[in-house]
Amino acid sequence: MSVEPEELGQSSEELAALLKAVRKRSGLSGVRVAARCNMSQSKVSRLESGRVRASIVDVEQIFRACEAPSELLAQAMALARLAATEWQGARGLRRKGLDKKQLELAGLEKTSTEFRFFLLSMITGLLSTPEYIRASLAHIPGDHSRTVAKKLDRQQVLYDRSKRFTFLLTEQAIRWPLVRSDALAVQIDHLASLTHLPNVRLGVIPLDSQVGPAPLNTFTVYDERIATVEISTGVMVFRDPRDVASHLQEFATYEARAQFGQSARGLLQDLADRLRTSSE
């Protein structure tokens, strides 16, 4: 099923209207449907009005209760999956202000416990030095001082021991020359220091590692409820459990090939030493 990015914002309304139409066509009241689905009547009302996003389970329960045709159920399930997917275009994020995106990410970090980051081509802001952060924003016009400050503020979450982090970085992400060689060496030293945090697992996937199918995107999974995927023109946000599970499975594949602990620190030290030698 193909879909244009702008359609993602319309699917929730379409799904709510379809739920209401199916229930009315069945001749059942909201109270009767709620009883058959073991949910409150107020929830049925909120689902039909679009005030609450219907999950895949909600859709299936209501359509079964209303004895709706299978082709309508398939249509509703597709809409539910789209409703659970959000597109955040890069141009729109820049218009709103990149510092606003930092507030959104801080909110996700506050409400999540376990984080999994797969970093294909760059080092994420949570692990970055100030110079690296500034360089990552240099291609975007404007003053980014507030965005840099908020990115640095967010790094405090790494020291919250009630949260667990796993970062997987490809060797090419670490070596990408976003900053001068001496500054990149300092960035790599910073990565090595973070491997000592008890709630942080930082793994490096060497270039000569056999990882199977080539990864296509950087992505992050928050607990087991949200997966975000970064591409050059924006960010996709997935809330459908099947999409999240797919990213968790992909992450596990890369995690099995990564080097952690002393092995990772040794590789990082070697990379930093080579950069310092080349800059002399």
Side-chain angles (χ1 to χ4, degrees):
M1 179 179 183
S2 62
V3 62
E4 296 298 321
E6 57 270 17
E7 293 181 60
L8 295 175
Q10 303 169 6
S11 52
S12 293
E13 297 174 5
E14 294 178 21
L15 178 59
L18 184 57
L19 287 171
K20 186 173 184 178
V22 165
R23 197 259 304 160
K24 285 193 169 184
R25 194 172 88 168
S26 72
L28 296 173
S29 67
V31 173
R32 290 286 303 279
V33 169
R36 290 187 178 188
C37 297
N38 195 29
M39 65 176 67
S40 68
Q41 189 276 329
S42 62
K43 179 177 179 179
V44 172
S45 177
R46 290 195 297 271
L47 292 174
E48 290 184 357
S49 67
R51 285 177 290 167
V52 172
R53 181 191 295 115
S55 68
I56 298 288
V57 174
D58 293 332
V59 170
E60 186 168 15
Q61 283 183 318
I62 290 174
F63 272 63
R64 301 292 185 202
C66 295
E67 299 179 353
S70 57
E71 59 270 19
L72 269 183
L73 175 59
Q75 179 186 345
M77 295 290 266
L79 282 173
R81 191 167 195 178
L82 283 177
T85 305
E86 177 185 348
W87 166 250
Q88 298 178 349
R91 284 179 293 181
L93 291 173
R94 291 171 190 173
R95 282 195 302 270
K96 292 178 183 177
L98 295 178
D99 56 316
K100 303 296 190 301
K101 178 63 177 177
Q102 297 308 306
L103 294 175
E104 177 188 326
L105 291 171
L108 266 177
E109 289 155 6
K110 182 177 181 180
T111 58
S112 303
T113 300
E114 185 161 3
F115 306 80
R116 299 173 178 89
F117 292 78
F118 175 70
L119 305 170
L120 175 62
S121 56
M122 280 180 60
I123 298 168
T124 186
L126 286 181
L127 304 177
S128 296
T129 62
E131 185 167 354
Y132 193 96
I133 291 173
R134 285 191 290 270
S136 72
L137 300 169
H139 66 289
I140 304 172
D143 178 10
H144 301 301
S145 55
R146 291 202 302 177
T147 302
V148 172
K150 284 183 168 55
K151 279 178 174 282
L152 292 172
D153 285 345
R154 283 179 46 226
Q155 293 180 359
Q156 296 304 309
V157 75
L158 296 175
Y159 301 92
D160 182 347
R161 296 195 180 189
S162 68
K163 300 180 185 295
R164 299 183 302 278
F165 299 85
T166 303
F167 296 94
L168 301 181
L169 298 94
T170 64
E171 184 178 336
Q172 56 264 43
I174 297 168
R175 294 174 59 179
W176 188 258
L178 188 67
V179 292
R180 302 183 318 273
S181 294
D182 58 335
L184 188 54
V186 171
Q187 170 64 77
I188 294 173
D189 289 341
H190 181 59
L191 292 178
S193 71
L194 292 173
T195 66
H196 294 285
L197 290 177
N199 58 323
V200 172
R201 296 182 71 238
L202 193 150
V204 180
I205 303 174
L207 280 171
D208 59 0
S209 177
Q210 299 295 316
V211 296
L216 298 177
N217 303 107
T218 286
F219 64 87
T220 306
V221 183
Y222 298 87
D223 295 325
E224 296 182 358
R225 59 192 180 94
I226 296 175
T228 64
V229 178
E230 298 179 37
I231 60 176
S232 59
T233 54
V235 179
M236 296 286 288
V237 182
F238 298 96
R239 294 181 177 84
D240 186 305
R242 293 171 298 180
D243 294 323
V244 176
S246 176
H247 284 93
L248 285 171
Q249 183 176 8
E250 184 178 358
F251 189 89
T253 299
Y254 304 143
E255 187 175 13
R257 303 295 188 270
Q259 295 184 17
F260 292 91
Q262 189 56 50
S263 294
R265 286 190 287 271
L267 179 54
L268 291 169
Q269 183 66 61
D270 181 59
L271 292 174
D273 288 345
R274 277 190 273 166
L275 284 167
R276 288 192 175 91
T277 299
S278 67
S279 64
E280 290 176 355

